[in-house]
């Protein structure tokens, strides 16, 4: 239960939420001297539950978020938050979540599991099902398997299929066909969706990168090999999203298993701890804003 007593409804404290939405819907205006915070949530499968702790640190400290973006697991958390669910409501879903809630094993040459069950899970979690229903700008990133480029979904249209596409980890989940594209996990083309938040008006971007174990030399199955391969690939593209970020938060969850939903509470604690370490810096922005860092970053195609 949060201080406002709204945890059971998943509704944020009204004062904090009013401050957050001032800029995003064109009502009250945030002074130009004030930063517009964009929060970019990276992928990580079950480890992405750490994002909930990051959101909680911002809520507790009254830091308004004006735009949010997500890749893979980060896309689920970002969409729920953009729709109005607070960290307690998202935590409730995370604590009860099982692999079977989002995956259905199948015999298919394109992947081991379908993600159709995710539709039911998202229907329970998301306050809004379309971009037009959201309380703040949201960017969901998937990867076009044909072009190899990231595709950003925002502004209008369905949310659920873009999320499923953003979570379609190659080899594990089947690709998602949507709007004449064959889509897979956004992580493949963009590990953390910091650049799109610049396009949503963020002057300051805080990126949350979920680390993986880099020292694991035991490759017991196909997925462990694929996962390590993507770690190597993402290290080659890391510089771009870091250039678009003012701060990077890295929760200490690397040694927790990729599918360890049972460790959700621990991951939330670690996410909050990592975010609390940067809160003093973020608060200084509101008293003495620093220039936005946009040099060298390019925006991907928008769907």
């Amino acid at each position: 239960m949060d201080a406002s007593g709204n945890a059971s409804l998943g509704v944020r404290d009204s004062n904090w939420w009013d401050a957050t939405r001032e800029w995003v819907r064109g009502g009250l205006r945030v002074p130009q001297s004030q930063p517009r915070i964009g929060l970019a949530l990276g992928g990580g499968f079950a480890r992405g539950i750490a994002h909930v702790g990051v959101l909680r640190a911002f809520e507790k400290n009254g830091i308004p978020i004006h735009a949010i973006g997500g890749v893979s697991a980060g896309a689920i958390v970002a969409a729920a938050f953009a729709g109005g669910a607070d960290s307690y409501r998202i935590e409730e879903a995370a604590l009860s979540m099982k692999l079977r809630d989002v995956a259905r094993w199948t015999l298919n040459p394109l992947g081991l599991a379908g993600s159709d069950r995710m539709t039911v899970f998202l229907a329970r979690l998301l306050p809004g099902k379309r971009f037009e229903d959201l309380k703040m700008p949201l960017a969901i990133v998937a990867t076009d398997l044909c072009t190899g480029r990231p595709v950003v979904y925002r502004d209008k249209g369905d949310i659920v299929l873009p999320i499923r596409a953003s979570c379609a980890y190659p080899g594990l989940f089947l690709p998602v066909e949507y709007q004449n594209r064959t889509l897979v996990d956004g992580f493949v083309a963009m590990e953390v969706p910091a650049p799109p938040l610049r396009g949503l008006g963020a002057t300051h971007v805080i990126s949350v990168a979920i680390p993986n174990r880099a020292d694991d030399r035991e490759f017991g199955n196909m997925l462990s090999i694929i996962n390590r391969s993507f770690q190597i690939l993402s290290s080659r593209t890391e510089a771009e999203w870091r250039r678009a970020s003012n701060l990077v938060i890295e929760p200490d969850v690397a040694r927790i298993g990729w599918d360890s939903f049972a460790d959700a509470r621990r991951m939330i604690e670690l996410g909050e701890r990592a975010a609390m370490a940067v809160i003093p810096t973020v608060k200084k922005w509101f008293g003495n804003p620093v220039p936005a860092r946009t040099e060298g970053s390019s925006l991907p195609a928008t769907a």
Side-chain angles (χ1 to χ4, degrees):
M1 181 72 68
D2 65 3
S4 66
N6 289 325
S8 61
L9 296 178
V11 178
R12 301 188 185 97
D13 174 78
S14 59
N15 292 332
W16 180 89
W17 184 230
D18 286 344
T20 293
R21 68 182 178 182
E22 284 177 356
W23 169 73
V24 300
R25 287 303 182 196
L28 298 172
R29 296 290 181 177
V30 174
Q32 290 300 311
S33 61
Q34 291 294 295
R36 296 166 178 156
I37 304 296
L39 188 62
L41 307 181
F45 208 72
R47 294 187 185 108
I49 294 172
H51 292 313
V52 179
V54 174
L55 293 175
R56 182 155 303 157
F58 279 80
E59 289 172 344
K60 286 182 176 180
N61 287 274
I63 304 296
I65 297 170
H66 304 102
I68 193 166
V71 163
S72 196
I76 298 176
V77 176
F81 190 76
D86 66 0
S87 65
Y88 294 92
R89 171 68 186 91
I90 303 172
E91 177 185 24
E92 181 183 347
L95 292 177
S96 63
M97 188 177 182
K98 304 291 189 296
L99 181 60
R100 64 176 178 268
D101 291 327
V102 295
R104 176 181 53 82
W105 300 114
T106 184
L107 294 175
N108 193 302
L110 300 181
L112 299 177
S115 63
D116 51 298
R117 287 182 177 176
M118 193 179 296
T119 301
V120 177
F121 173 78
L122 293 173
R124 296 196 306 265
L125 174 63
L126 301 181
K129 308 302 185 295
R130 296 181 63 83
F131 284 94
E132 296 93 329
D133 300 330
L134 302 179
K135 298 180 181 297
M136 69 172 62
L138 168 70
I140 296 173
V141 180
T143 300
D144 187 322
L145 194 58
C146 296
T147 67
R149 297 291 300 165
V151 180
V152 176
Y153 292 93
R154 46 171 283 192
D155 299 332
K156 61 182 180 180
D158 176 58
I159 294 176
V160 173
L161 273 173
I163 292 175
R164 284 180 54 192
S166 187
C167 295
Y169 193 85
L172 176 59
F173 286 108
L174 300 176
V176 172
E177 300 291 337
Y178 184 55
Q179 294 183 341
N180 297 317
R181 289 187 171 104
T182 300
L183 301 168
V184 295
D185 199 318
F187 180 88
V188 175
M190 185 183 295
E191 182 182 4
V192 180
L197 292 180
R198 297 295 184 182
L200 290 177
T203 61
H204 295 66
V205 174
I206 302 171
S207 292
V208 186
I210 303 298
N212 290 293
R213 291 187 62 170
D215 60 346
D216 194 346
R217 297 179 179 275
E218 296 183 6
F219 304 110
N221 54 54
M222 176 186 68
L223 288 179
S224 66
I225 295 174
I226 293 175
N227 185 56
R228 180 56 184 151
S229 298
F230 280 127
Q231 289 179 35
I232 297 170
L233 175 64
S234 65
S235 69
R236 310 286 173 85
T237 60
E238 182 178 352
E240 182 176 3
W241 66 260
R242 284 188 179 272
R243 280 196 299 269
S245 307
N246 294 91
L247 280 176
V248 177
I249 298 171
E250 298 183 81
D252 186 19
V253 296
R255 296 189 177 277
I256 296 177
W258 66 275
D259 58 347
S260 296
F261 293 102
D263 292 318
R265 200 179 300 276
R266 174 61 174 161
M267 289 186 283
I268 292 171
E269 292 173 355
L270 292 171
E272 183 175 354
R273 182 185 303 174
M276 289 297 292
V278 306
I279 290 295
T281 299
V282 177
K283 287 185 174 180
K284 288 180 181 178
W285 293 347
F286 289 88
N288 184 26
V290 297
R293 295 171 56 190
T294 58
E295 70 278 5
S297 63
S298 58
L299 297 179
T302 300

